[in-house]
Amino acid sequence: AGWYDVSLFQQYKAYANMMTGNTLNLFLKVGNGDSSDALLLAGTIANFAGGFTAFKCLDGVLKGKGSCTAAAPVVFALFALADRFRRARPKSRNHMLLLAVAGGIINCISADKAKQATNMMTGHYQKLSGDLAEYLLKGLTPEKRASASLSCRVVATFCAGVTLGMAAWNVKHPFEALSKHRFAIFGGVYAGILVLHELPFPEAHPTPDRSRETDALST
């Protein structure tokens, strides 16, 4: 998520999956009487909300079964189309609207399925700060410890993604052709994750209890 956010900001100077900044920029422009980019920002927010709503409806219709897999090709197509229009109209930023729809879908899945926001750090910082206070006062339950550990991993991987993404953007690499398809690559990764999320993985077999056998041998 961090790497993707770097690519978004470098390309569009805006984000397609974090609406707080877009809302702030939109109404700063309204307050300043500046109409530039106002329609783009408003459209980005509307498309994000539309993508979120669409997946929520799809999940309801499918009763939570297979909705991520069904959304995967749609997410990939939106990313690939954004790349297609970006190459056709490199000076335009309107193709970000397609990524905003995908952002709404991905954020809905993160919130409803994974129960974690993977690209919004404020909630994780609030949670970790609250957990720290609780730890200092009375300690944490095993469940709270596990939840705090997960938030730490989300923050760490996001920060690592931002760092690596920015470093990669600044380095002249030998695979320039990939830059023409950068968002399609992100879309493929996200689509793969959505499919993997619903694949049935075999559960780990519990360790057999040998205590009875030991008791029987001892008698």
Side-chain angles (χ1 to χ4, degrees):
W3 198 319
Y4 173 49
D5 284 342
V6 168
S7 298
L8 277 172
F9 190 78
Q10 292 296 102
Q11 180 70 43
Y12 300 111
K13 305 304 178 189
Y15 297 104
N17 54 0
M18 294 188 287
M19 295 302 109
T20 302
N22 291 337
T23 302
L24 179 63
N25 286 334
L26 171 61
F27 288 98
L28 282 173
K29 289 180 180 295
V30 171
N32 287 327
D34 180 4
S35 61
S36 64
D37 293 336
L39 284 177
L40 176 63
L41 290 168
T44 301
I45 295 167
N47 280 20
F48 176 90
F52 198 104
T53 303
F55 180 79
K56 195 79 173 176
C57 291
L58 174 67
D59 194 48
V61 169
L62 297 179
K63 302 187 185 306
K65 296 180 179 178
S67 52
C68 293
T69 303
V74 177
V75 168
F76 176 72
L78 288 166
F79 276 86
L81 281 172
D83 263 341
R84 178 75 177 84
F85 291 129
R86 180 173 63 90
R87 292 193 299 273
R89 300 182 62 187
K91 294 184 178 180
S92 173
R93 293 198 295 159
N94 291 333
H95 21 79
M96 185 176 69
L97 296 171
L98 294 167
L99 297 174
V101 179
I105 295 171
I106 292 166
N107 273 267
C108 187
I109 293 170
S110 296
D112 282 8
K113 301 294 185 180
K115 307 299 182 185
Q116 290 288 332
T118 57
N119 63 335
M120 300 176 192
M121 297 297 103
T122 304
H124 290 290
Y125 291 139
Q126 288 176 336
K127 183 185 181 312
L128 289 171
S129 299
D131 287 344
L132 176 60
E134 189 172 334
Y135 170 75
L136 294 173
L137 291 171
K138 59 180 181 180
L140 295 177
T141 64
E143 292 77 12
K144 282 285 186 81
R145 286 179 182 271
S147 180
S149 175
L150 179 57
S151 284
C152 285
R153 293 197 299 273
V154 170
V155 171
T157 53
F158 181 85
C159 293
V162 171
T163 303
L164 292 172
M166 196 69 248
W169 190 280
N170 291 327
V171 171
K172 192 171 183 180
H173 56 78
F175 308 108
E176 293 186 8
L178 292 178
S179 298
K180 298 179 181 179
H181 309 283
R182 66 167 60 97
F183 291 117
I185 293 171
F186 283 119
V189 171
Y190 273 119
I193 291 171
L194 296 185
V195 173
L196 287 172
H197 177 72
E198 291 183 331
L199 283 181
F201 289 100
E203 295 183 4
H205 296 291
T207 304
D209 184 3
R210 302 292 186 185
S211 59
R212 293 184 179 179
E213 295 179 12
T214 304
D215 291 342
L217 288 172
S218 63
T219 55

